[in-house]
Amino acid sequence: MLTIQAVFCTFSVLSLSVGADLKARSCSEVRQAYSAKGFSLVNVPHQEISGEHLRICPQGYTCCTSEMEDKLSQQSKLEFENLVEEASHTLRSTFMSRHKKFDEFFLELLENTEKSLNDMFVRTYGKLYMQNSEVFQDLFTELKRYYTGGNVNLEEMLNDFWARLLERMFQLLNSQYHFSDDYLECVSKYTDQLKPFGDVPRKLKAQVTRAFIAARTFVQGLMVGREVANRVSKVSVSPSCIRALTKMLYCPYCRSVPGLKPCNNYCLNVMKGCLANQADLEPEWNLFIDAMLLVAERLEGPFNIEAVMEPIDVKISEAIMNMQENGVQVTAKVFQGCGQPKPAGVARSARGISDVFNARFRPYSPEERPTTAAGTSLDRLRTVWRTMQHSVIDIKEKLKQSKKFWSALPTGICVEDKVTAGESTEDQCWNGHSKGRYFPEVLKDGLTNQVNNPEVEVDITRPDTFIRQQIMALRVMTNKLRNAYNGNDIYFQDSSDEGSGSGSGSGCTEACVTEFDFVSTEAPVVGADRSDERASAPNPGSSLVLVSALALTILALQRQWR
């Protein structure tokens, strides 16, 4: 009995001695690290105190007060948000810079194409073109409006262009007659039947339509990718995630080991729990990237410098020549179908079948093309186009690299030396309780796989609504991209219209502007970065589509007509 009492007394003395040593441990390292974070050292203990007041970190002797734990918890949330933004910076900046670059490229190509047509037609057709130039100006205006999301059906708009051109040329070829508006409307109805411009309108329409759809949709895709990445990178941090982050990042402070970094696998489980909803974005994101790559191939393939050097003006000029050559036959068939028109005044009828017109509207020859302004324009066009072709190759590589970004985000954050101790020191790291090995297995990605997350309490029955909205935005954009790859445009019917929209064909109703309203992304996205002072100017994005379309059109026309 005496022996037992002696042992007990000895143990008690040793326990008191150890306790005294523990109480005497200094908090100087913690105070220094805490102050380096910008916090005040007021009320920060100099030596460890009893930790029953702690709600997140392990209780026991500690260097943390309740106020310190709260501040470190807030700091954990802030650092996590910054880590996610930093990890996604490259992705976001890629979409932002490439969107801006493509927008500028196509704008310049558009402007050059429009200027080239005007310069050539002024030189070739003179006053007759200048008196009817609004027909061509309206063509470019409508193409721009289509690109900026206006309610424009490309096929109908191009049909209207050729109908108007037929009316103007028919009057010039038959200037000895007077034609009423009703008669000219009758003339335009014969456009398809008579084919006064040969096969140019059909080929031009096919190429312009496909090119504009691909270009506009590609730039919209860049914008949607940028917007989704921006929004998803601004994470919504749940209370349970904040607790897990605090425990991982700053509970070592409370345990008097502020320099001890978390174990790598420990960090991965915390991040997979906190970013579970972001990981669920990946399947739709990967499909979106695949669709972007398909359309990029269209931009890379059908366009080449040859198509740019021989732009749309040449093909329209060929169409005009066809009309001249077929003028007599066309006139006879129109008179037969629409009736004999009334003769004009004596002065006009004396000119017969517009000898002046036939003299001025002559076939275009390359050597007659202006050499100064147009030559400079073409040189600039070559440089711009080469740059754009390199940009297509560049964006394809960047897009490929962005696949699987969201599932790789936890790994990107849990970088050795920056956040974690690394895998090489897996038994010399913070495991959430002390210095040692982290034993739980690393979970898989996604919300449903977090049901047994040992570090973060995740409610797998409540998906993040905001993330689901981004998933839907990607799904809608992916569908548009796939259609654009096949040369089709999704037709969104305006709610004010009586009819219903079709699933294909060119054109876009006002709903194009609001289809991404739930993520505050307007379509076409190309205009989102413009300043107010440019609001009234043609949207640079229209250049992208326009030029793409024109380039595609011309290339196809060249190949088919040679």
Side-chain angles (χ1 to χ4, degrees):
M1 186 67 179
L2 290 173
T3 303
I4 294 174
Q5 289 178 342
V7 172
F8 179 76
C9 289
T10 302
F11 181 76
S12 298
V13 171
L14 290 172
S15 299
L16 290 172
S17 176
V18 173
D21 290 341
L22 288 172
K23 288 182 181 179
R25 286 177 61 178
S26 172
C27 291
S28 59
E29 287 187 33
V30 176
R31 288 172 60 86
Q32 183 178 354
Y34 190 72
S35 175
K37 293 291 180 182
F39 297 124
S40 171
L41 291 177
V42 177
N43 298 325
V44 178
H46 289 271
Q47 291 182 325
E48 289 184 330
I49 59 176
S50 179
E52 290 84 358
H53 56 276
L54 297 179
R55 294 172 298 165
I56 298 175
C57 296
Q59 296 183 343
Y61 287 107
T62 182
C63 286
C64 287
T65 62
S66 294
E67 182 185 26
M68 288 176 65
E69 190 179 45
D70 289 341
K71 287 185 177 180
L72 291 173
S73 180
Q74 296 171 11
Q75 182 69 15
S76 298
K77 177 179 180 294
L78 179 61
E79 288 187 12
F80 173 65
E81 292 171 341
N82 290 337
L83 284 169
V84 175
E85 282 219 33
E86 184 179 343
S88 61
H89 172 74
T90 300
L91 176 71
R92 291 181 287 115
S93 62
T94 293
F95 276 91
M96 181 180 297
S97 62
R98 271 54 181 188
H99 168 264
K100 183 175 183 293
K101 185 177 291 186
F102 273 90
D103 204 22
E104 291 173 350
F105 288 160
F106 281 102
L107 173 62
E108 190 162 1
L109 286 169
L110 168 63
E111 291 174 345
N112 275 277
T113 303
E114 189 170 10
K115 184 179 184 300
S116 174
L117 184 145
N118 185 72
D119 289 348
M120 172 187 165
F121 277 33
V122 167
R123 179 178 176 85
T124 306
Y125 305 125
K127 290 182 179 179
L128 290 177
Y129 163 71
M130 297 171 67
Q131 292 169 356
N132 296 277
S133 61
E134 75 276 6
V135 175
F136 302 91
Q137 292 170 0
D138 290 347
L139 169 65
F140 280 89
T141 298
E142 287 301 289
L143 287 172
K144 294 172 188 175
R145 197 161 71 87
Y146 167 80
Y147 182 74
T148 55
N151 185 9
V152 178
N153 185 301
L154 278 180
E155 293 184 7
E156 292 181 0
M157 182 271 293
L158 291 169
N159 289 339
D160 289 343
F161 165 74
W162 292 111
R164 290 181 64 193
L165 187 58
L166 172 61
E167 290 179 9
R168 297 297 178 93
M169 289 196 63
F170 187 80
Q171 291 180 83
L172 290 170
L173 287 167
N174 298 278
S175 57
Q176 69 272 35
Y177 295 102
H178 170 74
F179 299 102
S180 65
D181 291 341
D182 289 341
Y183 195 97
L184 291 176
E185 185 177 350
C186 178
V187 172
S188 66
K189 292 179 180 179
Y190 281 83
T191 306
D192 291 336
Q193 179 182 343
L194 299 176
K195 297 189 182 302
F197 300 109
D199 209 25
V200 174
R202 182 187 65 82
K203 293 179 179 178
L204 200 61
K205 180 168 64 176
Q207 296 302 320
V208 167
T209 300
R210 283 197 291 265
F212 268 72
I213 292 170
R216 183 179 79 161
T217 308
F218 186 74
V219 175
Q220 285 182 342
L222 289 175
M223 184 65 163
V224 169
R226 185 188 81 176
E227 292 301 308
V228 169
N230 281 341
R231 287 175 170 81
V232 177
S233 297
K234 298 185 182 302
V235 290
S236 175
V237 191
S238 67
S240 61
C241 176
I242 295 175
R243 288 177 59 86
L245 291 166
T246 305
K247 185 179 179 181
M248 181 183 79
L249 296 173
Y250 286 112
C251 281
Y253 280 52
C254 299
R255 298 294 285 176
S256 302
V257 283
L260 189 61
K261 293 184 177 181
C263 303
N264 184 264
N265 286 352
Y266 175 31
C267 176
L268 287 175
N269 273 342
V270 171
M271 293 302 161
K272 284 175 183 284
C274 290
L275 298 170
N277 283 284
Q278 280 76 6
D280 281 350
L281 188 75
E282 178 155 299
E284 201 62 50
W285 176 266
N286 289 342
L287 292 174
F288 162 71
I289 295 299
D290 287 338
M292 286 288 290
L293 288 169
L294 286 175
V295 177
E297 289 179 6
R298 289 294 197 223
L299 293 174
E300 187 180 25
F303 298 143
N304 59 38
I305 194 65
E306 182 183 8
V308 179
M309 291 179 64
E310 193 176 41
I312 196 171
D313 52 5
V314 178
K315 298 309 173 186
I316 295 179
S317 182
E318 289 181 11
I320 292 174
M321 294 305 104
N322 288 333
M323 175 64 183
Q324 275 190 262
E325 294 171 3
N326 300 322
V328 175
Q329 296 93 320
V330 170
T331 297
K333 290 182 179 179
V334 169
F335 285 0
Q336 181 181 357
C338 298
Q340 188 72 20
K342 296 179 180 179
V346 177
R348 292 190 62 187
S349 60
R351 292 159 55 188
I353 223 166
S354 187
D355 296 329
V356 175
F357 175 84
N358 284 318
R360 293 297 301 277
F361 271 54
R362 60 191 184 280
Y364 158 76
S365 59
E367 58 272 14
E368 291 180 351
R369 193 163 193 168
T371 55
T372 305
T376 303
S377 175
L378 287 174
D379 289 340
R380 177 62 181 155
L381 216 53
R382 292 188 188 99
T383 303
V384 172
W385 193 250
R386 287 195 198 101
T387 307
M388 208 223 67
Q389 286 181 314
H390 288 306
S391 295
V392 173
I393 297 172
D394 168 69
I395 190 61
K396 285 175 65 178
E397 291 304 312
K398 297 296 185 183
L399 288 171
K400 290 175 183 176
Q401 294 171 15
S402 72
K403 290 191 69 173
K404 299 185 178 180
F405 171 82
W406 302 105
S407 64
L409 191 54
T411 304
I413 292 175
C414 296
V415 179
E416 184 175 353
D417 294 334
K418 184 177 182 180
V419 175
T420 69
E423 297 180 3
S424 59
T425 55
E426 57 183 18
D427 57 347
Q428 299 292 316
C429 50
W430 174 253
N431 60 18
H433 304 280
S434 61
K435 181 179 180 179
R437 185 182 295 272
Y438 181 77
F439 291 100
E441 293 183 359
V442 177
L443 300 179
K444 294 181 180 180
D445 303 305
L447 187 63
T448 57
N449 290 315
Q450 308 309 309
V451 62
N452 293 317
N453 191 308
E455 310 304 334
V456 187
E457 184 179 344
V458 182
D459 185 356
I460 66 170
T461 64
R462 299 182 63 184
D464 188 294
T465 302
F466 181 75
I467 296 296
R468 303 300 138 175
Q469 290 174 345
Q470 310 313 307
I471 290 174
M472 182 57 66
L474 289 173
R475 189 168 297 164
V476 171
M477 193 68 242
T478 299
N479 189 34
K480 293 185 68 177
L481 287 163
R482 287 171 176 168
N483 276 277
Y485 175 77
N486 293 318
N488 300 322
D489 192 10
I490 298 178
Y491 185 88
F492 293 98
Q493 185 66 31
D494 192 336
S495 58
S496 64
D497 293 341
E498 294 293 331
S500 59
S502 62
S504 62
S506 62
C508 180
T509 68
E510 297 301 322
C512 283
V513 180
T514 59
E515 63 177 298
F516 297 118
D517 274 353
F518 57 86
V519 288
S520 303
T521 301
E522 296 183 352
V525 289
V526 292
D529 295 329
R530 307 249 182 269
S531 61
D532 291 338
E533 57 199 70
R534 296 178 62 190
S536 61
N539 191 310
S542 50
S543 68
L544 177 149
V545 174
L546 192 57
V547 172
S548 322
L550 297 177
L552 258 178
T553 301
I554 293 155
L555 173 62
L557 291 172
Q558 288 174 322
R559 291 175 176 173
Q560 295 178 41
W561 290 334
R562 287 177 179 173

